[in-house]
Amino acid sequence: MFIVIRLSFLLSIAVLPVFIKAQEKMISPAKINSIKLIDLAGKESRINLSKAVVFVFLSPECPLCKNYLPGLVKLHNANKDINFYGIIPGTSYSLKEINELKNEYGINFDLLTDKEKRLSKYLGATTTPEVFLINKMGAVTYSGLIDNWSSALGQKRLVITEKYLEQAIKDLLDGKQTFKKTIPVGCLINDI
């Protein structure tokens, strides 16, 4: 009996850091659901957290966002088991400008404005484009870059060697428990 108790204690010490790390990356579905977001019809919208979610923070004038939009549409089309949401933080862009972006790039996932930047702040988003993959349990399994095409502002690779978001989605759908973060590159989310 003593050996079982001791082994249980040692196991809990070994697992506790992993458990704590996973808990640090949890979001509250109730908190997300309480955040007021506006859809392109000007109506209040709620996030559907019944399955995994990808949040993509976007800016209609950010060149990097525009470059990534066709690939994001393809990724969304290939992963219908995941809800995609494009989030436009702040008040800088009108619904007309956002609708024009949607039409120009054929965006077929929801675009929502986060006028008060409550979702941006809650998730810690600082840059456009920046992505967050959240599983249906509320764990942020990936955040950061879409891939490694842009290594710094104004610097792009000729060949993409790491598809971070695509791999994180594949891992999630394959049932792998991963938690990864990269540092996003792009246009800073400002205070407007």
Side-chain angles (χ1 to χ4, degrees):
M1 185 65 170
F2 178 74
I3 293 173
V4 171
I5 292 171
R6 191 168 194 167
L7 285 174
S8 297
F9 176 73
L10 291 174
L11 182 61
S12 67
I13 290 174
V15 173
L16 188 60
V18 174
F19 179 74
I20 290 171
K21 184 174 181 176
Q23 293 302 309
E24 290 175 347
K25 304 207 183 273
M26 296 296 286
I27 59 109
S28 163
K31 173 74 174 174
I32 295 287
N33 200 36
S34 74
I35 295 174
K36 183 179 178 182
L37 300 169
I38 305 298
D39 67 16
L40 296 184
K43 296 180 180 171
E44 194 170 318
S45 183
R46 299 283 182 220
I47 300 295
N48 180 359
L49 293 171
S50 64
K51 56 185 178 178
V53 172
V54 171
F55 290 114
V56 183
F57 287 84
L58 299 168
S59 166
E61 66 181 10
C62 175
L64 203 52
C65 288
K66 291 178 179 181
N67 287 328
Y68 273 115
L69 283 171
L72 287 167
V73 169
K74 273 185 175 175
L75 196 57
H76 170 251
N77 290 339
N79 294 284
K80 293 297 184 181
D81 290 336
I82 297 176
N83 290 327
F84 277 64
Y85 294 97
I87 307 296
I88 293 81
T91 58
S92 297
Y93 307 104
S94 69
L95 292 178
K96 181 181 181 225
E97 290 171 303
I98 299 167
N99 267 307
E100 288 171 358
L101 180 75
K102 179 179 178 144
N103 294 334
E104 181 179 349
Y105 289 91
I107 301 170
N108 58 355
F109 49 85
D110 290 336
L111 291 179
L112 305 170
T113 61
D114 182 18
K115 295 197 178 288
E116 298 170 7
K117 293 190 278 183
R118 289 179 58 208
L119 181 62
S120 310
K121 289 175 184 169
Y122 182 63
L123 293 176
T126 59
T127 308
T128 61
E130 183 172 359
V131 297
F132 292 82
L133 175 62
I134 302 169
N135 70 19
K136 64 183 177 180
M137 302 298 287
V140 178
T141 62
Y142 176 72
S143 68
L145 296 162
I146 295 167
D147 58 33
N148 71 345
W149 175 56
S150 182
S151 55
L153 279 179
Q155 296 179 2
K156 295 171 185 69
R157 298 175 191 274
L158 294 175
V159 177
I160 297 168
T161 58
E162 297 283 338
K163 296 182 177 183
Y164 301 119
L165 179 58
E166 187 175 327
Q167 185 61 51
I169 289 171
K170 182 181 182 317
D171 288 348
L172 179 80
L173 295 175
D174 288 346
K176 293 181 184 174
Q177 293 285 334
T178 60
F179 300 94
K180 185 172 182 174
K181 179 176 179 62
T182 58
I183 305 302
V185 173
C187 304
L188 292 178
I189 295 174
N190 59 34
D191 288 331
I192 299 174

